[in-house]
Amino acid sequence: MTSKPRGRQFFFNPGPTNIPDRVLGAMNRATLDFFSEEFLAIQRLVHAGVMRVLKTKQHLLMYAANGHGAWEAGFANVFAPGDTLLMLESGRFSASWTDMAQALGLKVETLRADWRLGVPTAAVAERLAKDKAHEIKGVLVVQNETSTGLTHPVAEIRKAIESVRHPALYLVDTISSLASMDFRMDEWGVDIAVGGSQKGLMMTTGLSFTGISERALELSKTGGMKRSYWNWAEMRSISPQRFPGTTPVHMFFGLEESLKLLEEEGLDAVFARHRRLGAATRAAVAHWGGGAKSGLTISADGLEGRVEGIELLCRDPARVSDTVTAIVLPDGHDANALRKIALDRFNLSLGGGLGPLAGRVFRIGHMGDLNEPMLLGALATVELAMTVAGIPHRAGGTEAAIAALSGR
Ligand code: PLP
């Protein structure tokens, strides 16, 4: 019988993420009546806190659902079956968001991209300029594609939409970027921002939300599709913070505390910490691969090209993610076998490759409640697991991360 590894599980899977002890502690309390003034005050505080993180003064509605629920709420309130949406391809999550839209009867045109590079901003303006009849009703972007460790520039894409004066709504998925990377809903002209509790907000999974612009809210009053649970009008008819059904009070206790933690550190310092940890992770990967750069390309259909050494999946240094790093293994090596060694022997949880990346890629999540010793421990353990798994790499990636963190 194999014994369970000792110690706390080292969690470097890109979501859910580590829940700080203070947040766990805040949830360890007796239930409050969710109509009591004591609880409603907490709910209002949380609501205002999430709006500050989204950087919006417009509207916010929350759901007792994971991120998929907020995706659906966004679609159901503003689009009608048959409407056309333009999706920027970035990886597995842009593909799943597309699948959901299609299942709801929406048409999706995808701006195709190599998953290692994403869609050039100019391609958005070019496509929208051709849509003279304004058939495209929404432009959809995943700010931080968790499956590939690739970001899309949300502000630049808004400028591209404006450059051709296209009236499409702008929908952005912030699930693995919010509260870890900068996001400015109002300044960047986002109409629907989809977020979830379980990543940068350092909470349990199960609370998701949509930031909603004035324009999207107005459209929802006469538009949208058949809906009930997700119906914004019904939720707002009682109060701007209304919850459909029983309010999950403990999640609000937890979120109140995680918002306090974020505000104590300061959002800019939180983003800077993620930038430092992301850069250190990439320094380790570059070292392990000895600078290997293959001509590998990736699409929804699969991978094309030979890979000789370990390398970063994202090839555009301006678009690398500071919350998750996806790493491609050399041909003939199994990323899931590596993850199994890391988990079963060393109690380190890493993310796997999703969709066509299964077995070819592993992911290190570095978002939320993390610091330097935790990251260095994880990187050293990845190196240990690679050694055990017989994956060729240049030893010393952890030292490269130390050099990056110390500014040497
Ligand atoms: N979008 C992104 C970018 C994600 O990373 C995820 C989950 O990891 C989702 C959407 C879906 O969120 P959920 O799993 O909470 O439904």
Side-chain angles (χ1 to χ4, degrees):
M1 198 179 93
T2 48
S3 63
K4 223 171 148 262
R6 290 196 57 83
R8 198 167 181 157
Q9 186 170 96
F10 238 54
F11 204 84
F12 280 77
N13 220 315
T17 59
N18 294 295
I19 303 176
D21 289 344
R22 258 178 64 183
V23 174
L24 290 171
M27 287 193 281
N28 186 8
R29 62 176 282 191
T31 305
L32 280 181
D33 180 330
F34 64 92
F35 288 118
S36 67
E37 201 31 62
E38 186 180 358
F39 177 73
L40 290 174
I42 295 174
Q43 192 176 1
R44 281 193 292 270
L45 270 180
V46 167
H47 204 262
V50 173
M51 288 182 73
R52 279 197 297 279
V53 175
L54 281 166
K55 298 191 176 151
T56 184
K57 292 193 167 21
Q58 300 181 78
H59 307 281
L60 172 76
L61 285 169
M62 303 179 94
Y63 321 93
N66 59 8
H68 278 74
W71 268 356
E72 184 156 346
F75 286 151
N77 282 280
V78 294
F79 299 125
D83 281 355
T84 300
L85 309 178
L86 187 67
M87 174 72 76
L88 276 68
E89 185 176 20
S90 48
R92 188 65 193 165
F93 287 103
S94 65
S96 305
W97 205 9
T98 300
D99 291 346
M100 176 185 278
Q102 287 170 337
L104 293 171
L106 303 167
K107 291 187 202 140
V108 183
E109 182 180 324
T110 301
L111 281 175
R112 298 270 168 219
D114 182 341
W115 287 15
R116 304 192 70 186
L117 293 168
V119 178
T121 308
V124 180
E126 205 175 294
R127 176 62 191 95
L128 292 178
K130 287 191 190 137
D131 181 34
K132 302 276 185 234
H134 295 164
E135 273 167 11
I136 294 172
K137 303 294 179 210
V139 174
L140 277 62
V141 182
V142 178
Q143 183 182 20
N144 184 75
E145 174 57 71
T146 325
S147 66
T148 52
L150 171 90
T151 62
H152 269 104
V154 176
E156 277 176 35
I157 294 164
R158 164 46 84 191
K159 283 190 195 135
I161 299 170
E162 259 163 29
S163 71
V164 293
R165 297 171 173 270
H166 198 287
L169 288 175
Y170 189 25
L171 280 72
V172 179
D173 172 331
T174 72
I175 287 180
S176 63
S177 48
L178 194 70
S180 308
M181 290 162 38
D182 199 10
F183 178 76
R184 307 177 187 196
M185 175 166 160
D186 292 356
E187 189 182 325
W188 296 349
V190 175
D191 290 295
I192 297 182
V194 176
S197 52
Q198 76 271 30
K199 300 197 199 246
L201 290 172
M202 306 179 288
M203 253 293 291
T204 56
T205 312
L207 206 61
S208 58
F209 45 86
T210 41
I212 305 163
S213 71
E214 295 294 350
R215 190 169 158 236
L217 192 67
E218 270 316 298
L219 277 171
S220 75
K221 291 179 184 163
T222 48
M225 57 183 76
K226 278 191 183 158
R227 56 199 186 272
S228 169
Y229 180 81
W230 310 116
N231 195 340
W232 292 343
E234 207 159 298
M235 292 168 79
R236 285 174 51 82
S237 67
I238 298 173
S239 92
Q241 293 99 21
R242 170 75 176 147
F243 225 86
T246 309
T247 309
V249 291
H250 284 81
M251 299 197 73
F252 279 86
F253 299 154
L255 204 46
E256 183 191 18
E257 195 63 25
S258 57
L259 289 164
K260 269 190 208 153
L261 283 170
L262 289 170
E263 292 191 353
E264 282 165 19
E265 185 175 356
L267 272 185
D268 288 342
V270 171
F271 303 151
R273 175 166 55 80
H274 282 83
R275 276 198 297 278
R276 272 197 319 277
L277 299 181
T281 307
R282 293 189 292 275
V285 176
H287 184 94
W288 289 328
K293 280 197 174 81
S294 72
L296 177 79
T297 58
I298 305 176
S299 71
D301 301 327
L303 289 71
E304 252 188 74
R306 290 197 55 74
V307 182
E308 307 286 345
I310 287 176
E311 61 181 320
L312 263 189
L313 188 149
C314 179
R315 280 181 48 201
D316 181 349
R319 289 190 170 193
V320 286
S321 163
D322 286 324
T323 63
V324 55
T325 298
I327 300 151
V328 189
L329 289 188
D331 291 344
H333 293 275
D334 180 359
N336 287 334
L338 170 72
R339 290 174 56 233
K340 189 164 166 42
I341 291 170
L343 187 62
D344 292 353
R345 288 189 51 177
F346 307 122
N347 218 1
L348 170 69
S349 170
L350 299 167
L354 300 179
L357 307 178
R360 298 299 310 271
V361 162
F362 74 97
R363 294 172 300 144
I364 302 178
H366 32 84
M367 69 183 95
D369 188 38
L370 278 189
N371 60 16
E372 285 79 355
M374 292 160 86
L375 182 75
L376 290 172
L379 294 174
T381 311
V382 168
E383 202 160 325
L384 171 61
M386 288 198 296
T387 307
V388 173
I391 293 168
H393 65 281
R394 190 156 62 124
T398 313
E399 282 76 5
I402 292 171
L405 289 169
S406 64
R408 272 196 286 122

